[in-house]
Amino acid sequence: MEIRTLGRTGLQATELCIGTSALGSMPQTYGYSVDEDQALSTLRRVFQGPVRFVDTSNEYGRDGSSERLIGTVLRELGGVPDGFLVATKVDPDSTGDFSGRRVHASVRESRERLGLDRLPLVYLHDPERLSFEDGTAPGGPVEALRQLQADGVIGHLGVAGGPVDLLRRYVDTGVFEVVLSHNRYTLLDRSAEPLLDDCAAAGVAVVNAAPFASGMLAKGPDTTDRYFYNPAPPQIMDAAKRIQAACERHGVPLAAAALQFSLREPRITSTVVGITRPERVEQTIELAEHPIPAELWQEVAPAPEEVWLS
Ligand SMILES: NC(=O)c1ccc[n+]([C@@H]2O[C@H](COP(=O)([O-])OP(=O)(O)OC[C@H]3O[C@@H](n4cnc5c(N)ncnc54)[C@H](OP(=O)(O)O)[C@@H]3O)[C@@H](O)[C@H]2O)c1
């Protein structure tokens, strides 16, 4: 497992990262629920390595169940095992409050659930839920994150979200050392291209989440129509079937091509794969190592740009 430095943070991170949203059980998002025993056995396997980067959030699962279950396993292990990096995110409360005061509370909750005094990497999560002006205003979430960093409670700041142009504005502030983008640099959608360029120029690390576009590029368009947490539009289904056929011609699993499309991109430091079963750790490593002939990359054009997420 290749270990890389996460931009200017100096933090060491494996090129793969385990995403824990689905294992917090979010049936409305993923289309299935995950019971706690399965989630715990998955996390116990995750913390045996060799993938040593784990992604969570204050709001994954009911009442932060993703963080809470990670905290359970970390307590069993006596703390974060050597070489592991656990990143989390700040979120609004159930009323939608995303003020600076709420950010302090979000971090307090995350520290308690995870059992960690200091959080090495915390992202502002889905800032599309407020305007950029409110996000960066005095008393707003960015100011609160900077204060928590100055107080030593947070090591490094990141921003994690969807809309590419909004993430580019946050990168421009110079406050964030890591950007997590999702579903926008996949075999089907390349909207994140300008963000990757900005981050490379600014020395900001990019973490690319959801290389399977939330499921379709792992399970296959013949098995699921689940794309970006919803039923896929027809152009996406057509493109996914075309890409799957190209993979089959070369004897490559669609999931291997989807994962390696992100892993082979030099502007991306780490790729976040969401899993809910222990055996997925080995499977993910096998997918990352599956041989792929160079010609396949010429044959996997994305979906038409009008259906990209942007
Ligand atoms: N705004 C944000 O910050 C943001 C947004 C999106 C994602 N993320 C992070 O990125 C992570 C990954 O995103 P994601 O989970 O939404 O999407 P994803 O990684 O593209 O896809 C996850 C789906 O792929 C399936 N899968 C994974 N490996 C598989 C395999 N070998 N065979 C068959 N199916 C496989 C999982 O199924 P199983 O359940 O069967 O394992 C799950 O349904 C999240 O968990 C989260 O940590 C962050």
Side-chain angles (χ1 to χ4, degrees):
M1 182 67 40
E2 198 182 317
I3 295 172
R4 300 171 177 171
T5 304
L6 206 51
R8 296 190 302 257
T9 66
L11 295 170
Q12 301 293 294
T14 45
E15 62 183 320
L16 281 168
C17 174
I18 300 294
T20 63
S21 49
L23 66 68
S25 197
M26 298 172 64
Q28 282 170 344
T29 305
Y30 289 94
Y32 52 91
S33 49
V34 177
D35 69 42
E36 288 207 5
D37 285 346
Q38 183 181 330
L40 282 169
S41 56
T42 304
L43 288 167
R44 289 186 183 113
R45 173 64 193 86
V46 166
F47 281 103
Q48 289 169 14
V51 179
R52 298 211 263 305
F53 187 11
V54 177
D55 183 75
T56 184
S57 160
N58 182 289
E59 72 169 10
Y60 287 163
R62 183 184 293 201
D63 299 328
S65 60
S66 169
E67 285 185 333
R68 182 171 52 75
L69 295 168
I70 291 170
T72 299
V73 173
L74 293 181
R75 286 176 176 92
E76 289 171 4
L77 295 169
V80 179
D82 278 353
F84 273 81
L85 174 61
V86 177
T88 191
K89 312 188 185 84
V90 289
D91 287 288
D93 67 13
S94 56
T95 70
D97 176 11
F98 211 167
S99 63
R101 183 196 292 242
R102 166 58 199 162
V103 163
H104 282 275
S106 180
V107 166
R108 201 161 48 242
E109 290 166 4
S110 296
R111 290 165 72 202
E112 282 167 13
R113 291 177 191 144
L114 293 167
L116 301 176
D117 282 343
R118 184 174 181 278
L119 301 174
L121 172 60
V122 176
Y123 299 94
L124 176 66
H125 192 195
D126 289 353
E128 55 267 34
R129 293 180 284 194
L130 74 175
S131 71
F132 178 78
E133 290 68 28
D134 286 347
T136 53
V142 173
E143 183 186 81
L145 284 169
R146 296 184 77 171
Q147 184 61 53
L148 286 158
Q149 186 180 31
D151 294 345
V153 174
I154 294 175
H156 299 277
L157 300 182
V159 57
V164 170
D165 286 343
L166 180 64
L167 291 183
R168 296 175 76 192
R169 288 186 81 183
Y170 277 100
V171 169
D172 265 356
T173 64
V175 170
F176 299 97
E177 295 169 285
V178 184
V179 172
L180 183 150
S181 163
H182 65 89
N183 287 285
R184 288 161 175 85
Y185 193 79
T186 69
L187 285 176
L188 291 164
D189 183 323
R190 313 283 157 86
S191 336
E193 274 289 347
L195 176 67
L196 300 190
D197 283 343
D198 284 3
C199 290
V204 169
V206 175
V207 172
N208 188 39
F212 302 134
S214 86
M216 177 176 290
L217 292 172
K219 299 180 195 297
D222 42 356
T223 307
T224 180
D225 71 346
R226 203 87 187 158
Y227 172 77
F228 187 50
Y229 316 108
N230 285 291
Q235 294 107 312
I236 289 289
M237 288 303 285
D238 291 348
K241 286 177 184 163
R242 175 176 45 72
I243 292 168
Q244 184 175 44
C247 288
E248 277 167 9
R249 283 196 297 278
H250 291 281
V252 172
L254 174 64
L259 183 58
Q260 292 188 37
F261 177 74
S262 178
L263 289 172
R264 71 200 290 269
E265 169 50 57
R267 294 168 295 176
I268 291 171
T269 303
S270 190
T271 299
V272 195
V273 175
I275 63 168
T276 65
R277 308 171 195 204
E279 62 270 24
R280 293 280 189 245
V281 174
E282 288 307 326
Q283 289 169 358
T284 305
I285 292 162
E286 282 166 22
L287 293 171
E289 292 175 346
H290 196 286
I292 297 187
E295 309 87 74
L296 176 61
W297 301 119
Q298 313 306 316
E299 297 173 29
V300 289
E305 199 167 337
E306 67 260 25
V307 292
W308 293 3
L309 298 170
S310 78

